[in-house]
Amino acid sequence: MPKKLVIKVTAGADAPERCSQAFTVAAVAVASGVDVSLWLTGESSWFALPGRAAEFELPHAAPLPDLIDSVLAGGSLTLCTQCAARRDITETDVIEGVRIAGAQVFVQETMADGTQALVY
């Protein structure tokens, strides 16, 4: 049975290395044929908005917009419902392909057989 990888990224520009690691692992997993679900929570929530990822810079790291495109091309990208609400982000605000879902969906995904979860 193929494994699924669920990654929750809580860091944004406040912890750039941790943030970049999460997106990099997600993109590499997608490129390797792994079923990936990347969750944006906390400060990473801002990267669900158009143009915000382009503002992120980290030396010697792949550009965040490219990593997001890779994840969207072969996996799923979800913005936490509560995190979106706290930032006044709605479904009409996010980049195409991003869904907004809550803890129930996260728990459901992480508890499925054959699933590995990582939190950054």
Side-chain angles (χ1 to χ4, degrees):
M1 171 194 276
K3 282 196 111 174
K4 179 173 185 171
L5 182 60
V6 178
I7 300 172
K8 179 186 272 192
V9 55
T10 63
D14 59 325
E17 286 184 300
R18 192 162 30 110
C19 176
S20 180
Q21 289 169 2
F23 283 94
T24 300
V25 168
V28 168
V30 166
S32 300
V34 176
D35 182 10
V36 174
S37 176
L38 180 61
W39 283 71
L40 305 177
T41 67
E43 286 302 300
S44 71
S45 300
W46 295 113
F47 298 130
L49 297 175
R52 292 301 284 266
E55 298 171 7
F56 180 87
E57 291 185 15
L58 181 64
H60 310 290
L64 202 55
D66 293 349
L67 297 173
I68 290 172
D69 288 346
S70 294
V71 171
L72 287 171
S76 65
L77 188 58
T78 305
L79 172 59
C80 163
T81 302
Q82 290 181 7
C83 299
R86 281 190 281 275
R87 290 160 179 82
D88 294 321
I89 299 172
T90 67
E91 289 180 357
T92 60
D93 298 322
V94 299
I95 57 179
E96 186 176 343
V98 173
R99 71 175 174 166
I100 297 177
Q104 179 183 6
V105 176
F106 179 78
V107 170
Q108 187 176 39
E109 283 189 15
T110 59
M111 296 307 295
D113 288 340
T115 300
Q116 172 70 49
L118 301 173
V119 178
Y120 287 88

